[in-house]
Amino acid sequence: MSTEIDFYELLEVERTADDKVLKSAYRKLAMKFHPDKNPGCADSEAKFKQINEAYGCLSDPQKRAAYDRYGHAAFQQGGGGQAGGFGGGGDFGDIGDIFETIFGGGFAGGRQQARRGADLRYDMEITLEDAFHGKDSEIAVEVSQKCEPCAGSGATPGTSARRCNLCKGHGKVRAQQGFFMVERPCPTCHGRGEVIESPCKHCRGEGRVDAEQRLQVNIPAGVDNGTRIRLAGKGEAGPFGAPAGDLYIFLHVQRHNMFEREGTTLMARCPISFTKAALGGEVEIPGLDGKVHVIEIPAGIQSGKQLRKRGAGMPVLQGRGVGDLVIELHVETPTKLSARQKELLREFQASETGEECPQSKGFFDRIKDAWSDLTE
Ligand SMILES: [Zn+2]
Ligand SMILES: [Zn+2]
């Protein structure tokens, strides 16, 4: 079961990234994972290959357009006259066109070949914790599968399909239309070139039956919203024993009550008391890794200031390293003071010279200057 990572994710760019952004992201990553820089490291080499493949696709406008529509499926079927796609039958012609322009392939003349089964989409919700740790999950999908009794042939076991008499196995017949001779799919065998005389009872001659399928899905650590996982050959069975399509799992990461995520960075808003802001101290943040991260607060910190803890964020998808944890501090003004606390604060207020808060002092000094300019 292979897992495919989204090309945009590999290059760490938005889906809307223009050529310039794409190129610079590619160069940065290619430098980082270049085999010369990481001699003997199989991980880097694999990553380097993936990056090159991703850039090779996205830097070509036609390939990129195909990728945006069909994902990896656009490049895995080749020009052998086979087609498949999300949404089933309605899409076939369209995809055939695209393959023709990209690969110069398309349908070979003569007998129409068996078509690959359709690709399927499965949406899965996961928590941010799942995205952090990775997860093994089992899903149940209702999908057509090759009929076992007839092994996908559609013919009663022990019998087989015979060549179509009308088209002599070509799958197409010629007909006069006005002045022209036109070719159209054979009405007897519907283009297959073969006829089943004794259809399999189990699948009514279709060669495939709908059944619930239970599948193991391995979600790697570091996935994000929109990451797609491809389960090769787990889509719809192809008609009459043709290869199955793929199943794509689209991941949706739920909102977290504490963290927001930007790529590999985890962000959290963190309220602190005004005494801690003034005197300094530390805050403890329970990370997704199960550890408690202690972050030092320097004395005199202001509201809105961000502090970063390296290596306490999200893991990098299929790579090494971990992003950062960033907390944004919000100084909370106390609202429930005891009489004693009020007394202490009044005492503090009485001792203020204005030098404690240079920003406020500077601001009011400027107002004073502007006022005296006006009255001079
Ligand atoms: Zn025929
Ligand atoms: Zn059957």
Side-chain angles (χ1 to χ4, degrees):
M1 196 178 288
S2 74
T3 301
E4 302 255 351
I5 304 303
D6 188 83
F7 282 162
Y8 291 98
E9 229 149 79
L10 270 168
L11 295 176
E12 296 169 15
V13 294
E14 299 286 330
R15 299 192 82 79
T16 51
D18 62 18
D19 289 350
K20 225 176 111 188
V21 171
L22 216 58
K23 193 168 185 174
S24 90
Y26 165 71
R27 290 179 73 147
K28 203 182 82 191
L29 290 166
M31 295 263 277
K32 188 171 160 194
F33 293 103
H34 197 281
D36 289 351
K37 289 205 167 181
N38 309 275
C41 173
D43 277 4
S44 295
E45 201 183 314
K47 184 97 179 176
F48 184 70
K49 274 187 194 153
Q50 289 178 320
I51 294 163
N52 274 306
E53 191 194 350
Y55 183 67
C57 164
L58 298 185
S59 59
D60 179 314
Q62 271 193 341
K63 287 186 187 171
R64 183 172 177 177
Y67 181 77
D68 285 347
R69 276 191 81 173
Y70 306 111
H72 290 281
F75 308 105
Q76 273 144 6
Q77 294 161 7
Q82 300 174 1
F86 299 115
D91 266 334
F92 282 141
D94 207 359
I95 297 185
D97 288 349
I98 286 186
F99 282 150
E100 246 160 24
T101 47
I102 296 177
F103 301 107
F107 292 95
R111 196 181 124 177
Q112 196 174 353
Q113 293 183 12
R115 282 171 170 172
R116 182 178 171 273
D119 290 336
L120 294 177
R121 171 182 176 136
Y122 183 94
D123 290 276
M124 186 190 272
E125 274 219 346
I126 59 169
T127 62
L128 190 60
E129 282 85 353
D130 294 337
F132 182 91
H133 295 288
K135 187 188 184 185
D136 285 320
S137 191
E138 194 186 66
I139 59 169
V141 282
E142 178 82 11
V143 61
S144 71
Q145 285 170 295
K146 193 202 253 185
C147 173
E148 291 298 337
C150 68
S153 73
T156 300
T159 72
S160 58
R162 65 157 175 81
R163 200 175 73 153
C164 171
N165 282 335
L166 186 68
C167 65
K168 307 279 184 280
H170 290 295
K172 284 181 178 168
V173 288
R174 289 167 159 251
Q176 187 82 30
Q177 191 172 53
F179 295 105
F180 304 102
M181 282 296 271
V182 291
E183 269 196 341
R184 49 167 70 112
C186 170
T188 304
C189 65
H190 305 289
R192 283 190 63 211
E194 291 179 334
V195 179
I196 295 167
E197 287 186 317
S198 166
C200 164
K201 287 190 181 63
H202 192 66
C203 61
R204 288 196 220 99
E206 292 257 331
R208 49 185 179 176
V209 285
D210 284 352
E212 193 188 75
Q213 205 179 0
R214 295 198 155 265
L215 297 169
Q216 299 297 324
V217 185
N218 166 253
I219 299 164
V223 292
D224 204 345
N225 237 345
T227 303
R228 283 183 302 188
I229 295 174
R230 184 174 78 110
L231 303 186
K234 298 295 179 185
E236 296 257 349
F240 309 111
D246 299 331
L247 176 68
Y248 285 86
I249 300 191
F250 284 62
L251 295 177
H252 305 273
V253 182
Q254 292 164 359
R255 281 187 76 86
H256 194 270
N257 59 14
M258 182 155 165
F259 296 111
E260 262 183 54
R261 171 184 187 178
E262 276 172 27
T264 58
T265 305
L266 280 179
M267 311 269 299
R269 265 175 69 100
C270 178
I272 58 167
S273 66
F274 78 112
T275 49
K276 195 177 268 186
L279 301 172
E282 53 190 32
V283 290
E284 293 184 339
I285 305 285
L288 293 175
D289 51 7
K291 294 183 198 149
V292 174
H293 296 282
V294 178
I295 298 177
E296 298 286 333
I297 310 281
I301 200 152
Q302 303 294 339
S303 220
K305 176 85 180 162
Q306 293 186 340
L307 296 174
R308 179 176 294 263
K309 176 137 190 183
R310 299 219 172 266
M314 293 296 288
V316 178
L317 185 61
Q318 289 206 330
R320 290 188 183 171
V322 179
D324 300 337
L325 170 65
V326 172
I327 60 165
E328 189 172 290
L329 295 172
H330 290 270
V331 179
E332 185 178 14
T333 306
T335 52
K336 290 177 179 171
L337 294 169
S338 68
R340 171 71 183 135
Q341 285 170 326
K342 279 183 191 164
E343 191 187 317
L344 284 170
L345 283 181
R346 284 204 190 91
E347 215 174 291
F348 174 79
Q349 197 174 33
S351 74
E352 281 179 306
T353 62
E355 300 297 330
E356 304 85 0
C357 297
Q359 278 186 38
S360 306
K361 185 168 183 295
F363 179 73
F364 287 108
D365 284 351
R366 279 198 297 281
I367 291 182
K368 228 184 282 172
D369 290 349
W371 190 245
S372 56
D373 284 351
L374 279 176
T375 48
E376 255 168 23

